[in-house]
Amino acid sequence: MSLLQLLIIAGIQGITEFIPISSSGHLVIIPHLFEWRDQGLIIDIAVHFGTLAAVIVYLWRDIWQMLARVTVLEKTHQTVRIEFIGQLLLATIPLFIVGALVYEFAFDTLRNKVVVGWATILFGILLYLSDKYTVTINRLEHMTWGKAFAIGLAQVFALIPGASRAGTTITMARWLGFERTEAVRFSMLLSIPAILAAGTLAFWDLLERDNYSAHLTEAIIVAFMAFLTALVSITILMRWLTWATFTPFVIYRVILGAAVLTWAYY
């Protein structure tokens, strides 16, 4: 793979992983658009672990609190109760179960332009409705087991390329009344076990192949670039959402989805 291709893949993944516009959808479209060969499993794993490192760096305080098992904290948006760890794990279970089935039986079937186009539009509209017509009353300290599980169920739809893991979880969190930045924060925390699980599953699949070691240098480069772009993307997004809405992302999704469908059908 050329350095340009590696940089574009890393940049797309880093920018889109935590923004509700679907990184998986973009990674399906990009090779078709430039007539590149598929980047392969090792590059997919590398960019996802690069973005995982970025979210860990950005949310290190929340993660440290969870690891330290802090139970009594001042009521601020950084509060992480001991039960919050369990809520994150509960929210991850539906994705583990359904994701394993999809990976085994329907992974390649979903990776096509028609699916990406329709999912990009439909889930974008749901994001718009949830962002515009819900009352914002909740912060992370108001998370309950039921709310966490509902967000986890919404995350299952992220298995559809174009739906967006960030988009589906943020949409459900907004329907449940969470502030925009808090919805994104929970979505990012939820991405940690999701990416770890998906990456581990893919890595074991990779170990069964003979030629993965030849691409280790490419994997290191693309992981580092994905880390840098994801860290910048997260920082900008969180500042943006202190005063703006998700509407620009919805507009982008509708335009992109319409373009992809036009491309697919005509």
Side-chain angles (χ1 to χ4, degrees):
M1 294 176 65
S2 69
L3 180 60
L4 176 62
Q5 185 175 354
L6 290 174
L7 292 177
I8 289 177
I9 290 172
I12 291 295
Q13 173 67 22
I15 291 171
T16 60
E17 176 64 33
F18 304 108
I19 292 177
I21 58 175
S22 180
S23 61
S24 61
H26 282 77
L27 291 180
V28 170
I29 294 169
I30 291 298
H32 290 288
L33 185 62
F34 292 100
E35 297 183 347
W36 288 337
R37 65 178 175 85
D38 187 87
Q39 60 266 19
L41 186 59
I42 188 170
I43 299 300
D44 281 348
I45 295 172
V47 293
H48 278 86
F49 276 109
T51 54
L52 174 63
V55 77
I56 290 174
V57 169
Y58 187 83
L59 295 177
W60 71 269
R61 289 185 181 86
D62 297 293
I63 296 167
W64 172 254
Q65 288 175 344
M66 284 188 288
L67 293 177
R69 302 177 65 85
V70 176
T71 58
V72 180
L73 295 170
E74 181 185 357
K75 291 294 183 179
T76 70
H77 71 284
Q78 293 179 339
T79 297
V80 180
R81 297 156 299 159
I82 192 64
E83 65 182 296
F84 189 71
I85 301 171
Q87 291 166 353
L88 281 172
L89 295 176
L90 175 66
T92 306
I93 290 174
L95 184 66
F96 281 7
I97 296 173
V98 181
L101 295 174
V102 170
Y103 187 83
E104 183 69 26
F105 300 109
F107 182 74
D108 293 331
T109 303
L110 293 173
R111 291 175 66 87
N112 68 76
K113 296 189 291 292
V114 173
V115 171
V116 171
W118 282 115
T120 299
I121 293 173
L122 295 176
F123 285 94
I125 293 172
L126 289 175
L127 174 62
Y128 174 79
L129 294 175
S130 70
D131 193 44
K132 186 174 179 62
Y133 296 108
T134 56
V135 178
T136 300
I137 55 175
N138 291 324
R139 303 178 73 89
L140 282 191
E141 59 262 33
H142 302 126
M143 184 63 66
T144 65
W145 294 94
K147 291 174 183 175
F149 188 65
I151 296 172
L153 290 176
Q155 186 175 223
V156 169
F157 289 99
L159 295 168
I160 305 171
S164 170
R165 194 205 61 80
T168 56
T169 53
I170 290 169
T171 296
M172 180 57 74
R174 290 293 289 146
W175 280 121
L176 294 172
F178 285 91
E179 296 178 4
R180 293 184 180 94
T181 54
E182 298 294 85
V184 173
R185 187 178 294 274
F186 188 77
S187 176
M188 288 192 293
L189 286 169
L190 196 56
S191 76
I192 296 174
I195 294 175
L196 277 175
T200 301
L201 182 63
F203 182 72
W204 282 114
D205 186 23
L206 184 65
L207 288 179
E208 298 177 357
R209 307 185 182 191
D210 297 326
N211 61 343
Y212 66 89
S213 59
H215 301 285
L216 286 179
T217 300
E218 293 179 344
I220 293 171
I221 293 172
V222 81
F224 181 68
M225 293 306 300
F227 165 76
L228 291 180
T229 53
L231 193 58
V232 172
S233 175
I234 292 170
T235 303
I236 294 173
L237 175 65
M238 295 301 278
R239 291 180 180 177
W240 162 275
L241 291 176
T242 59
W243 58 272
T245 71
F246 290 108
T247 300
F249 302 119
V250 174
I251 294 172
Y252 173 80
R253 290 182 65 123
V254 171
I255 294 173
L256 176 64
V260 171
L261 289 176
T262 301
W263 179 23
Y265 288 126
Y266 299 101

